[in-house]
Amino acid sequence: ELKVEQNPLFLSMQEGKNYTIYCNYSTTSDRLYWYRQDPGKSLESLFVLLSNGAVKQEGRLMASLDTKARLSTLHITAAVHDLSATYFCAVEPGSARQLTFGSGTQLTVLP
Amino acid sequence: GAGVSQSPSNKVTEKGKDVELRCDPISGHTALYWYRQSLGQGLEFLIYFQGNSAPDKSGLPSDRFSAERTGGSVSTLTIQRTQQEDSAVYLCASSLVGSAEQYFGPGTRLTVT
């Protein structure tokens, strides 16, 4: 059974600081996704990582994938309040198309 | 263009009643997924439809849950004899054939009283 673990589960950080969210998974996969969810809203796709070594950046967020270590990171640079949300990683195992999600990281950026 | 739509947005029902939740995928998307998001269990896969293939029902939690997809487009998730533990947000997603990215709808919040 595929397990996806995120840490930390809760993250409170000051504006302007940097931090990294980690996503570990338990079985071989080359497909990993990051989503953002605002309170009461649905999931917004942030990044799609499809190969070992993939790195994608959008604004203050950068995601990377190491399939050998079964690890993805979401790095936040110079956080701003607008980044406050819950961030989920999700893994697509093998040939199956359904996603297995991590527990989410609730990020709060303080002024 | 139009995204994934779901209805109703909120549903309150009494324990033991049946409910139907609807999903309209993005036009042209042949893959459709149902997920459930609850406080205790997080985000869980329920069922996956791909074209005319038999659906992958491996995530359905009990035989009270069923889903169908008519004409390769609209899908309905049915929960029979609802229980309080069925209370959750039910999310639908769709994707293109061969595409990695799933696009999520706004969800239906189900409350079983």
Side-chain angles (χ1 to χ4, degrees), chain A residues 4-54:
Chain A
V4 181
E5 293 185 354
Q6 276 183 247
N7 70 85
L9 298 183
F10 299 93
L11 175 56
S12 182
M13 57 191 298
Q14 296 285 331
E15 278 192 330
K17 299 292 188 182
N18 304 331
Y19 208 83
T20 300
I21 299 170
Y22 297 88
C23 175
N24 290 89
Y25 54 97
S26 63
T27 193
T28 302
S29 174
D30 290 334
R31 294 173 173 247
L32 190 134
Y33 308 79
W34 285 96
Y35 288 89
R36 168 180 172 146
Q37 186 175 41
D38 291 289
K41 303 292 186 181
S42 190
L43 296 168
E44 173 191 353
S45 178
L46 293 175
F47 299 108
V48 179
L49 303 170
L50 300 178
S51 62
N52 186 39

Side-chain angles (χ1 to χ4, degrees), chain B residues 41-110:
Chain B
Q41 301 298 322
L43 273 155
E44 305 172 279
F45 163 76
L46 296 177
I47 188 168
Y48 161 52
F49 295 90
Q50 172 56 57
N52 295 321
S53 302
D56 178 350
K57 304 179 182 179
S58 59
L60 294 178
S62 79
D63 58 8
R64 295 186 296 105
F65 287 72
S66 63
E68 63 177 21
R69 190 176 183 191
T70 55
S73 181
V74 171
S75 177
T76 302
L77 177 69
T78 301
I79 309 173
Q80 295 178 310
R81 305 181 303 281
T82 52
Q83 303 294 312
Q84 288 188 329
E85 61 262 29
D86 299 335
S87 296
V89 176
Y90 289 81
L91 293 165
C92 176
S94 71
S95 71
L96 288 167
V97 174
S99 169
E101 194 161 8
Q102 296 181 23
Y103 296 84
F104 283 80
T108 294
R109 181 176 296 278
L110 175 66

Side-chain angles (χ1 to χ4, degrees), chain A residues 29-94:
Chain A
S29 174
D30 290 334
R31 294 173 173 247
L32 190 134
Y33 308 79
W34 285 96
Y35 288 89
R36 168 180 172 146
Q37 186 175 41
D38 291 289
K41 303 292 186 181
S42 190
L43 296 168
E44 173 191 353
S45 178
L46 293 175
F47 299 108
V48 179
L49 303 170
L50 300 178
S51 62
N52 186 39
V55 177
K56 292 197 174 178
Q57 183 164 4
E58 180 72 33
R60 301 175 187 274
L61 300 178
M62 183 173 70
S64 66
L65 177 62
D66 181 343
T67 59
K68 294 179 181 177
R70 299 178 184 171
L71 170 69
S72 180
T73 61
L74 180 66
H75 187 73
I76 303 156
T77 301
V80 293
H81 179 69
D82 285 352
L83 290 179
S84 296
T86 299
Y87 293 84
F88 291 93
C89 65
V91 176
E92 188 180 315

